[in-house]
Amino acid sequence: MSKNSNIKLISASIDDELLLVELMKKYHLYDGIEMTDEDRLAALRPLLSSSENGNVWIICLGSKQIGYIATCNCYSIEFRGIEVWIDEFYIDEQCRGQGFGSEILEKVKSFLKSQGAAIVHLEVDENNPKAVSFYKKSGFEFRERFVMMSHSLK
């Protein structure tokens, strides 16, 4: 990871929602998430309107926007504090494998720690060994005893 990589995280605002929707479409296509642009906007706006819900950053390499990272906040009794989920993390394919992801994660983890977060989680597709390896190298660990389960309320 180059400390002089020229990677910046820009805190996103409502003014960035159309750019973010375009980046989200790329990520969702890559990850097989089906969602309309209207649904993307509806999901994004609560994060852009209040940092209490979480944060969204646009990832820039110099002046070029190459991705985004979104976090969502909640409270955990088990971890005795704010629990943050990295909900979406996308970097354009041509910019992967150059150490930018590690640099971004370190910046985000540092920010979250400065804001009082107790722990940060993420989901990773177990069928994506590159991503699993990347997150392990970045300090994330499997919680072997636990399996994430979901029930849609919509």
Side-chain angles (χ1 to χ4, degrees), residues 23-43:
L23 292 168
M24 291 169 76
K25 283 170 35 174
K26 291 180 184 180
Y27 170 65
H28 291 170
L29 179 64
Y30 171 81
D31 213 31
I33 299 169
E34 292 191 28
M35 187 180 275
T36 66
D37 286 354
E38 292 77 22
D39 286 342
R40 286 182 183 98
L41 280 171

Side-chain angles (χ1 to χ4, degrees), residues 13-71:
S13 72
I14 290 290
D15 295 336
D16 300 309
E17 64 184 19
L18 296 180
L19 166 66
L20 285 164
V21 165
E22 291 306 309
L23 292 168
M24 291 169 76
K25 283 170 35 174
K26 291 180 184 180
Y27 170 65
H28 291 170
L29 179 64
Y30 171 81
D31 213 31
I33 299 169
E34 292 191 28
M35 187 180 275
T36 66
D37 286 354
E38 292 77 22
D39 286 342
R40 286 182 183 98
L41 280 171
L44 186 60
R45 284 180 175 149
L47 293 174
L48 297 177
S49 63
S50 173
S51 62
E52 212 171 276
N53 296 319
N55 294 278
V56 181
W57 294 273
I58 298 167
I59 302 165
C60 296
L61 179 58
S63 61
K64 183 179 179 193
Q65 295 112 349
I66 63 165
Y68 72 100
I69 187 166
T71 62

Side-chain angles (χ1 to χ4, degrees), residues 91-104:
I91 298 176
D92 283 339
E93 202 167 343
Q94 70 271 17
C95 295
R96 295 180 196 154
Q98 300 176 47
F100 300 144
S102 297
E103 187 174 344
I104 292 159

Side-chain angles (χ1 to χ4, degrees), residues 78-79 85 121 141-149:
E78 176 184 357
F79 296 107
W85 283 85
H121 305 285
E141 300 173 347
F142 286 111
R143 298 190 71 206
E144 299 291 344
R145 258 185 54 210
F146 302 94
V147 175
M148 183 171 184
M149 298 175 71

Side-chain angles (χ1 to χ4, degrees), residues 72-121:
C72 299
N73 303 337
C74 59
Y75 188 85
S76 169
I77 293 170
E78 176 184 357
F79 296 107
R80 296 171 295 284
I82 302 298
E83 178 177 52
V84 178
W85 283 85
I86 295 176
D87 190 49
E88 296 195 356
F89 183 14
Y90 174 78
I91 298 176
D92 283 339
E93 202 167 343
Q94 70 271 17
C95 295
R96 295 180 196 154
Q98 300 176 47
F100 300 144
S102 297
E103 187 174 344
I104 292 159
L105 276 180
E106 287 309 309
K107 288 179 180 192
V108 169
K109 289 188 296 186
S110 178
F111 171 81
L112 295 173
K113 186 175 181 178
S114 77
Q115 298 299 301
I119 192 163
V120 62
H121 305 285

